[in-house]
Each structure stands twice: as structure tokens, then as C-alpha cells.
Amino acid sequence: RTNRVCSYDRAGYGWSEPGPQPRTANREVEDLHTLLVNAEIPEPYVLVGHSLGGMLVRMFAHEYADEVVGMVLVDSFHEERDVRIPELTKLNQDAAEQYRIFELMSSTGIMALAPQSIPNRGLPADAYAQYQAITATTDYFDTFIAEVTSSEERNAEARALHITSLGDMPLIVLSAGQGDSVASFSDAENQKYLAELQAEQSELAALSSNAKLVIAEQSGHNIQLDQPDLVIDAVRQITEATQ
């Protein structure tokens, strides 16, 4: 009702064609910029990034600073996470192996016949139904595996940019109030992990002198699904601040 909103699926996700390998962060940032240019979406942009997308939009704003006027980060990934919690590297490797099985099931049509076999990554029922349709009929798992196996390189690319400040760019950081623990971690490891997630969001909010950190008390990682009004309100606030 108030803003033009453009959303997209990264290469290989949703109905987007696969992109070149490896799936590096710099390549994904360039993909987004090329998409905006080719679609003739005029700048300036208010960028909204969830999870890994949060890291990518920060890299986009660093690379194309004159095109970005505001930002909303929705439980954003932080490029220091695997350095601070090295145990996550092994989890990523395990996830890639598991998803290779899912990729085989998808490519042979088993998942299309038995959508209940598709793992639910914490999605509500309606979103899970969409997720089932996409993963059963596209190259989703190939792309997921490619991104997971290149995660260390991707995070290193982001760290290499040394993004320590966004100046006074209007910024709202939405942080999950209900952190998801890791099943294979001990209680002590999960305490360290959840504390790291909270610290990351505070660090991201400190990137701008014109930032606000909002805790989504009723949300897990998918704030846009659990409390969508928080995201909508954040976008409105940032848009108004840039006018």
C-alpha cells in the first residue's frame, strides 16, 4: 500500500535458473545488481535482507554505496560466525551430505510423489507447502549444497571487505527473540551459540549511527513469517527516514 516492493530468488532457488559455480558472495551480490539493472528498477534502494541475505545486502551497500539509502536486516547472518564458532563448519559439512540424499530423491521424482519426506526447516504450514512444491520440482537442493560447501569462502569474502561502518544510513536490525538451539550441541555449546547470535545482531546495529535494534520476542529465525508486521513496520520507518 505504501511502497513498491521487489523480491527475487537467488540463482538456483525458487524458479530462478542456476548460476555459475562456485556460489560465492561476490557473485551473488553482482547477480542482484545485474538483475536490478536489467529489470530497470531505478535507484535509490532500501534493501531488506533475511539470514544470508542480510550479509549480501550489506556487501551490496558497500560495493554500490551511492545506490543504497537505507536497510532492514532480518535476523541477518554475520560473516564472523564460523570463525567464532568453528563447530558450525562440521555441521555445514554434515548438512551438505544429508542434502545430497534429498537431491537424489528430488531428481528421481521421489519427493514429488512423497512431499512429506521433505524436511521442514521451521516453516509454518502455508510456507511449508510452498517449500515442498519448490524443492520437489526444482534444483533447490543442488543450490543449497553449493552454497553450504562454499560458505567458508563466502564468509571470507565478506570479512575481506572490512565493513565496519554504514555511516548514518537509516538501519533497523530485527533479531529473533526465540533462538533455535542446535540438536547436536551440548547445553554449554548452545549457550555459547545463542549468545553469539545475540551479540551479532548488536554488532550489526552498531554499524550505523542512525540504527535501531528490535527484538522479535515471538519469533524464531523466520521473523518475516512469525511476525511479518515487524518487518513491514521497519520498512515503512526506513522509507520515511530516507524521504
Side-chain angles (χ1 to χ4, degrees):
R1 293 172 183 164
T2 60
N3 305 94
R4 181 184 188 188
V5 178
C6 303
S7 63
Y8 80 111
D9 295 307
R10 290 197 300 276
Y13 285 127
W15 310 115
S16 293
E17 297 175 358
Q21 302 293 339
R23 297 309 300 156
T24 65
N26 288 330
R27 178 168 282 151
E28 291 179 333
V29 168
E30 189 57 34
D31 281 350
L32 174 56
H33 190 260
T34 301
L35 171 61
L36 290 168
V37 171
N38 289 351
E40 300 181 351
I41 310 293
E43 56 179 280
Y45 308 120
V46 170
L47 299 179
V48 184
H50 169 249
S51 196
L52 172 60
M55 186 179 83
L56 297 178
V57 297
R58 285 186 287 113
M59 294 176 67
F60 186 106
H62 177 84
E63 184 70 20
Y64 303 101
D66 58 337
E67 299 181 13
V68 182
V69 293
M71 193 180 303
V72 177
L73 300 178
V74 185
D75 212 46
S76 172
F77 182 79
H78 194 295
E79 58 270 21
E80 294 283 351
R81 185 176 300 176
D82 61 342
V83 173
R84 297 173 182 174
I85 307 180
E87 299 89 345
L88 292 176
T89 299
K90 176 64 164 58
L91 288 181
N92 283 337
Q93 293 170 349
D94 292 344
E97 290 304 315
Q98 180 186 30
Y99 273 66
R100 284 190 174 91
I101 298 173
F102 295 144
E103 189 281 327
L104 177 63
M105 294 172 64
S106 177
S107 64
T108 56
I110 294 175
M111 278 192 167
L113 295 173
Q116 68 276 9
S117 65
I118 299 171
N120 186 347
R121 302 173 62 190
L123 301 174
D126 56 344
Y128 178 48
Q130 296 177 46
Y131 179 66
Q132 287 174 311
I134 290 172
T135 53
T137 58
T138 70
D139 293 325
Y140 170 89
F141 291 111
D142 279 338
T143 303
F144 181 86
I145 292 167
E147 287 199 340
V148 167
T149 54
S150 65
S151 61
E152 290 183 78
E153 178 184 358
R154 187 175 59 236
N155 298 342
E157 288 177 327
R159 290 194 296 271
L161 296 179
H162 302 292
I163 304 174
T164 58
S165 175
L166 295 172
D168 61 354
M169 177 185 291
L171 167 68
I172 292 180
V173 175
L174 300 177
S175 176
Q178 300 179 11
D180 299 321
S181 59
V182 179
S184 61
F185 278 6
S186 66
D187 289 344
E189 287 173 329
N190 266 313
Q191 287 181 1
K192 175 184 176 182
Y193 173 65
L194 295 176
E196 167 61 21
L197 297 186
Q198 293 176 354
E200 288 177 1
Q201 303 308 305
S202 295
E203 289 178 19
L204 293 174
L207 289 175
S208 172
S209 60
N210 187 15
K212 179 167 63 172
L213 174 64
V214 177
I215 307 299
E217 299 289 354
Q218 302 171 35
S219 296
H221 182 51
N222 294 310
I223 300 173
Q224 73 278 12
L225 300 178
D226 295 331
Q227 292 181 269
D229 286 347
L230 285 182
V231 182
I232 294 168
D233 187 55
V235 172
R236 286 177 176 163
Q237 289 183 51
I238 295 299
T239 304
E240 291 170 1
T242 63
Q243 294 174 344

